Amino acid sequence: MTTYSEEFKLVARPGEISFSKGLDGVVAAESTKSYVDGLGGRLVYHGHPIEELAEESTFEEVFFLLLYDRLPTAAELARFTGQLQQHREIPEEIYAIVRDHAARRGVHPMTVLRTAISALAVFDEHAEEDTPETHQAQAVQITSKMATVAAAIGRVRSGQAIVHPRSDLSHAANYFYMMMGRVPDAFEARLTDVLLILHADHESNASTFAALVVKSTLADTYSAVVAGIAALKGPLHGGANEQVMKMLESIGSPERVAAWLDEAMAQKKKIMGFGHRVYKTMDPRATILRGYAREVTRRAGTERWLVMAEQIEKTMVEKFAQKGIWPNVDFFSGVVMASLGIDPSMFTPLFAVGRSAGWVAHAWEQRQDNRLFRPRFVYVGPESEPYIPLAERK
Ligand code: SDX
């Protein structure tokens, strides 16, 4: 008979030991990077309101802010921008992985992104070094290359030739250029930049937390980012934006929104792009994207997507606002990205291109004051079981 130490009740009779499922409401670390005010509907990156950054800043500046906890001087921004530009190109071997994997039937782009970013470590002779200089260098290199790999995946999936990065465009404009094969106009470049800024960080979301757990074991930064990509892929997290577009496409027209929603809610379906573990009011990023949606759908002639989205929003808010279920970042981002010409299957890779900044910033923050993440489980299995020889088992 195994005797357990009295230090911890390993077997909990229901209600004896409480725990928070999904770590709901549990604080896992201290961070200076971003704060999500779920009741107030506010998001700040190191004290800077997201609305201000979306209006005034650039992805390069926001990435610097997240890494170094301050806005860069002009000279620092120029140097940091140059580092990002310098590290955009990826080894031919990585292009070969993308060419071989991205066009295979049924392979999701996030699967290829996860594989290709993981393979990048093989070509970084410093991958296993654990020094401040290496951490910061890899933070820039991985984030810079994430855009190149994501764009290449989209090109191969759509049967188009890969477009290699240019070094004379901003991060967002170059990402658009590699995706579309043409330099964006000023509006397209600005909107792509805003999308990357809005997706850059969000406190302790599932993918950032996954990256933190990996980094807390002192694994390399590539491993931490791959964990983030893996977590982001899921439809409850970064995969929701693609599901929103699938929802709009299956509804088909504004006239069918009400009936579709009634049916979905009768079946207790989760409406993609709504609800959030922390926001219990409008996600401020959704508000910002709704503002851009009017202009980008007008330019693209896709106003019907916005009409449908606003109808869904109106109905959902009427029915569920009092339950704290509101639009989140993924609801309008789908309409905006589709109207920019981005294929829905490439929405989550764009999310990863932005969120790479948050993953590497939090990983670096964790490394500087690390303690291994190792929570407990409440064991609710049998306290002890006799070993019955195979021959005697019924
Ligand atoms: C992102 O964490 C982050 O910060 C993530 C993110 C980031 O920037 O990193 O903000 C990005 O991931 C945004 C969320 C994208 N996901 C979706 O849009 C998927 C649809 N949303 C839901 O699956 C849900 O709202 C979650 C997963 C986002 C949050 O789920 P919770 O906190 O676990 O809440 P829950 O599933 O326990 O729901 C609580 C109640 C339930 O009703 P009851 O059983 O209590 O009656 O609210 C209901 C749910 O049924 N509910 C919904 C709903 N979301 C919650 N009902 C209908 N449609 C929804 N979308």
Side-chain angles (χ1 to χ4, degrees):
M1 172 77 166
T2 308
T3 54
Y4 295 104
S5 78
E6 281 311 306
E7 166 263 324
F8 188 81
K9 281 187 192 167
L10 287 181
V11 179
R13 277 156 289 286
E16 277 213 15
I17 302 179
S18 67
F19 74 100
S20 179
K21 204 162 183 181
L23 299 181
D24 193 344
V26 171
V27 175
E30 289 182 337
S31 174
T32 61
K33 304 303 172 186
S34 59
Y35 170 61
V36 177
D37 174 359
L39 296 179
R42 291 177 60 243
L43 168 60
V44 294
Y45 290 171
H46 198 69
H48 296 276
I50 194 65
E51 294 80 3
E52 200 174 68
L53 294 172
E55 185 65 32
E56 307 290 342
S57 192
T58 63
F59 179 75
E60 287 87 341
E61 187 174 72
V62 162
F63 184 18
F64 187 101
L65 170 67
L66 290 171
L67 262 186
Y68 298 110
D69 285 352
R70 61 183 174 82
L71 290 173
T73 63
E76 287 170 328
L77 183 58
R79 191 164 52 248
F80 191 69
T81 299
Q83 288 168 355
L84 279 164
Q85 288 170 340
Q86 177 195 340
H87 289 289
R88 285 175 177 166
E89 194 50 282
I90 58 178
E92 184 44 44
E93 293 83 351
I94 306 300
Y95 282 122
I97 288 173
V98 171
R99 281 194 195 92
D100 177 63
H101 295 191
R104 285 173 185 254
R105 250 160 56 82
V107 174
H108 194 281
M110 288 295 282
T111 300
V112 186
L113 186 66
R114 189 185 66 212
T115 305
I117 296 299
S118 183
L120 267 180
V122 171
F123 301 94
D124 178 352
E125 60 183 311
H126 304 291
E128 301 307 320
E129 288 169 19
D130 180 16
T131 66
E133 296 72 25
T134 303
H135 264 274
Q136 293 170 74
Q138 283 171 356
V140 169
Q141 289 160 22
I142 293 169
T143 300
S144 183
K145 289 172 168 50
M146 188 76 71
T148 308
V149 176
I153 292 167
R155 298 290 289 185
V156 170
R157 277 178 63 86
S158 56
Q160 297 172 294
I162 286 174
V163 176
H164 289 260
R166 289 173 45 162
S167 58
D168 59 339
L169 298 171
S170 72
H171 190 71
N174 178 62
Y175 177 41
F176 186 100
Y177 165 71
M178 294 188 294
M179 280 193 286
M180 304 298 179
R182 64 174 175 84
V183 176
D185 65 26
F187 175 81
E188 290 165 329
R190 183 64 204 148
L191 186 46
T192 306
D193 213 359
V194 169
L195 280 165
L196 296 183
I197 290 168
L198 296 181
H199 285 90
D201 197 37
H202 211 244
E203 202 195 274
S204 173
N205 58 89
S207 56
T208 299
F209 185 59
L212 276 195
V213 172
V214 169
K215 180 49 73 178
S216 80
T217 71
L218 300 189
D220 64 291
T221 302
Y222 289 90
S223 298
V225 169
V226 168
I229 296 171
L232 188 72
K233 182 171 182 287
L236 292 189
H237 185 18
N241 47 30
E242 180 181 0
Q243 299 305 319
V244 168
M245 271 327 283
K246 282 186 178 160
M247 171 176 71
L248 293 180
E249 282 159 357
S250 75
I251 295 173
S253 70
E255 297 69 37
R256 295 183 52 218
V257 164
W260 190 93
L261 271 181
D262 287 345
E263 173 68 20
M265 285 187 261
Q267 293 170 9
K268 291 256 179 251
K269 271 187 185 171
K270 292 274 176 70
I271 310 300
M272 292 291 118
F274 283 85
H276 199 276
R277 176 60 63 79
V278 180
Y279 289 123
K280 299 308 169 193
T281 184
M282 192 75 174
D283 181 334
R285 301 167 297 178
T287 304
I288 294 167
L289 287 169
R290 189 209 285 127
Y292 278 96
R294 218 164 299 296
E295 173 63 10
V296 71
T297 54
R298 185 194 60 74
R299 286 164 59 108
T302 54
E303 294 92 336
R304 77 182 187 292
W305 293 135
L306 183 56
V307 169
M308 291 164 68
E310 289 183 327
Q311 277 182 327
I312 295 168
E313 177 192 17
K314 184 171 177 299
T315 307
M316 287 294 289
V317 168
E318 279 164 6
K319 289 182 184 290
F320 291 106
Q322 82 288 357
K323 271 187 86 172
I325 299 168
W326 291 74
N328 60 52
V329 65
D330 291 307
F331 187 59
F332 289 103
S333 65
V335 169
V336 167
M337 290 191 272
S339 303
L340 271 177
I342 299 171
D343 184 90
S345 65
M346 298 309 295
F347 288 176
T348 309
L350 181 144
F351 196 147
V353 171
R355 189 53 54 88
S356 178
W359 293 332
V360 295
H362 281 279
W364 170 226
E365 182 178 51
Q366 175 71 25
R367 181 64 189 89
Q368 295 173 90
D369 179 18
N370 187 48
R371 182 154 168 69
L372 176 72
F373 277 103
R374 202 290 184 198
R376 295 298 301 265
F377 287 156
V378 176
Y379 173 66
V380 291
E383 279 197 58
S384 73
E385 287 280 291
Y387 185 82
I388 299 168
L390 186 58
E392 295 169 27
R393 288 175 212 160
K394 303 269 180 297

